[in-house]
Amino acid sequence: MVKDILTDDSGDLLIEQGDLVIGEADEQLMQDIVLANRGDYKQYPQLGANLRSFSRSTHPVRMLSAIRTALQADGFNAQVRIDPTGEIEIR
């Protein structure tokens, strides 16, 4: 488990009693990686699932593979699937 500064659902820093909130951040980090495009992180330019390239794609298998590969590059071994409602599910 990785500890980091936490953010809320909109990406704003969580602040409690005037202090930044620090806690378990694995889910937050996975979400950041999935939403990132390659080149978003200057220090790690290849990190990111690059989902914009799949916005009009009819190949969900390629998108899931890109997500899985991006997460694995940062050391996460996650199961990725699309649930019946079309939401991406990461476990």
Side-chain angles (χ1 to χ4, degrees), residues 4-44:
D4 202 350
I5 297 170
L6 299 180
T7 58
D8 64 16
D9 291 337
S10 64
D12 292 330
L13 295 173
L14 279 179
I15 298 175
E16 290 180 1
Q17 299 177 352
D19 290 326
L20 295 171
V21 178
I22 297 175
E24 301 295 332
D26 284 350
E27 284 186 32
Q28 179 176 298
L29 292 172
M30 285 192 283
Q31 181 180 6
D32 290 344
I33 291 167
V34 169
L35 295 175
N37 291 306
R38 290 188 195 114
D40 284 353
Y41 294 98
K42 185 176 181 179
Q43 188 173 2
Y44 304 102

